Amino acid sequence: MLNLEDLYRILRTGHVQAQGIVDTVPVPLLVLDSALCIQRANRAFFRTFKVERYETIGKHIYDLGDGQWDIPELRLLLTDVIPKTRAIVDYKVEHDFPGVGSRTMLVTAHTVFSPDDVSTTMLLSFVDATESTHREAEFEVRFGELRHRMKNLLGLVRALANQTKAEGVSGKEYRDAFLGRLTAIIDANEQGFIGGGDGNLEKLVVRTLEPFAASPDAIMVDPGPPVHLDPKQLMSLGLALHELATNALKYGALSKASGQVHVRWVVEEAGGRLLRLTWSESGGPGVSPPVSTGYGSQLIQFAVAYDLGGKVEPTYARTGFKVEMAIPLTGTRQQRLKAGGKDGPDRGR
């Protein structure tokens, strides 16, 4: 089977210009005269563009498809570019082609001069690059998304290092606190990016809290409606849940064998989708409002109120600590920030 270069050499030497030779080229091909009228077209052209021979041969290229081939990019190639050079390779033309729809075509054009240098013939081939162009665009989007995620993740790690208490603690205590928070972010990011990308809230809650359960009944998760979270929401909410569990293990319900944590959520649809997630502790030591805000509380506030534009509402009841997080599931970050509150749970590191 001949390729375009083989055919070009044959025509240039003037050996043959037969339809049989033209038909051996596997990609759509047109042979144009100096007036840009179609002398020959191969089977691949008829098959690809769903046209008949009688609709093509002898027609001016701009008249094909009732004038639908009068494409600005193609006209530029044939009237401005080609006269200045003998060959153009992979000239991109995007157009809604008659019979085949919107396509991205890579057009290659060769000018063939006759031995007397009086007449010229032009070979015009078309390669459908629609799918490869879409794949390239998708790759660019995904790469940009990955770059954006990495930037956010590194920024969050830096914020974690700044928010983790260093005064009055040993190096081991600082390391354990920082690595625990970092692990929560990595797990949430892995679920959202590597683990299928489904952003399932229930999976996030179970996976984040599982290491803190000393017994099967220590942490009870009451699944609400299915909720999909984007990667940023996964990381921030996973961090907040990890901080709540860490505080409960140190100071709250999980610090006693009889203690229990209960997690549940609902989704409100009025005025935009709003996730209300409730964390309730019982069976632990008595609680009371703290006199100062701990680092853990500041971190929860940062993750939910600032990062997600939500609200954090703590309650210090005699039965145990309780906090409700209200997180918008729709809207821009600026819109979500309008809903953010300044009150956070004031206990723990």
Side-chain angles (χ1 to χ4, degrees), residues 156 188 231-241 302-304 307-308:
L156 191 53
K232 185 179 184 66
Q233 292 169 329
L234 280 171
M235 286 191 292
S236 297
L237 186 54
L239 177 61
L241 290 170
F302 169 83
V304 176
D307 220 21
L308 299 179

Side-chain angles (χ1 to χ4, degrees), residues 13-307:
T13 56
H15 288 166
V16 67
Q17 194 177 1
Q19 183 65 43
I21 298 296
V22 174
D23 283 335
T24 63
V25 179
V27 298
L29 175 72
L30 293 177
V31 180
L32 308 180
D33 62 19
S34 57
L36 302 182
C37 290
I38 300 170
Q39 294 180 322
R40 299 183 185 276
N42 67 349
R43 293 193 186 99
F45 182 86
F46 299 133
R47 183 173 58 251
T48 299
F49 293 102
K50 297 179 173 57
V51 292
E52 300 294 336
R53 184 178 299 274
Y54 72 88
E55 300 174 292
T56 307
I57 304 302
K59 297 275 189 178
H60 194 283
I61 188 169
Y62 300 146
D63 294 333
L64 287 180
D66 295 326
Q68 296 182 59
W69 276 71
D70 191 359
I71 306 167
E73 293 94 335
L74 188 60
R75 182 179 283 274
L76 177 66
L77 171 67
L78 298 181
T79 59
D80 293 345
V81 178
I82 280 296
K84 301 175 183 178
T85 181
R86 289 195 173 190
I88 292 293
V89 179
D90 290 345
Y91 186 89
K92 183 181 290 187
V93 174
E94 297 178 342
H95 185 62
D96 190 358
F97 288 90
V100 297
S102 180
R103 291 290 188 273
T104 298
M105 293 288 178
L106 298 181
V107 181
T108 295
H110 286 273
T111 301
V112 182
F113 292 92
S114 65
D116 56 13
D117 284 336
V118 174
S119 61
T120 59
T121 300
M122 184 182 299
L123 303 182
L124 209 60
S125 67
F126 303 83
V127 174
D128 191 343
T130 306
E131 291 188 8
S132 61
T133 301
H134 287 171
R135 286 195 296 268
E136 290 173 3
E138 183 179 3
F139 173 80
E140 290 297 326
V141 170
R142 291 188 177 276
F143 184 75
E145 179 185 3
L146 177 60
R147 185 170 57 234
H148 180 68
R149 286 185 181 184
M150 290 301 298
K151 181 180 178 180
N152 286 344
L153 184 58
L154 292 174
L156 191 53
V157 169
R158 181 177 181 179
L160 282 182
N162 291 333
Q163 288 288 339
T164 302
K165 184 179 180 180
E167 297 82 3
V169 298
S170 67
K172 181 179 183 304
E173 289 173 326
Y174 177 87
R175 182 197 64 189
D176 292 345
F178 175 76
L179 290 181
R181 292 164 176 170
L182 181 60
T183 299
I185 292 177
I186 293 173
D187 286 346
N189 188 62
E190 184 180 74
Q191 181 183 330
F193 188 57
I194 300 175
D198 58 359
N200 186 281
L201 173 60
E202 182 178 352
K203 290 181 181 179
L204 174 68
V205 173
V206 172
R207 182 169 180 173
T208 302
L209 301 184
E210 184 178 17
F212 295 90
S215 66
D217 297 330
I219 299 178
M220 303 298 294
V221 178
D222 184 12
V227 175
H228 171 86
L229 301 174
D230 63 34
K232 185 179 184 66
Q233 292 169 329
L234 280 171
M235 286 191 292
S236 297
L237 186 54
L239 177 61
L241 290 170
H242 180 271
E243 284 303 309
L244 287 169
T246 300
N247 284 346
L249 187 64
K250 290 182 176 181
Y251 318 111
L254 298 182
S255 66
K256 290 193 172 184
S258 59
Q260 185 182 71
V261 170
H262 186 197
V263 180
R264 63 185 183 276
W265 64 86
V266 296
V267 175
E268 299 176 356
E269 301 289 347
R273 300 186 73 230
L274 184 71
L275 169 66
R276 288 194 178 274
L277 187 146
T278 304
W279 172 284
S280 302
E281 298 182 21
S282 60
V287 296
S288 60
V291 296
S292 62
T293 301
Y295 283 89
S297 300
Q298 294 175 9
L299 201 58
I300 294 170
Q301 181 70 22
F302 169 83
V304 176
Y306 175 77
D307 220 21

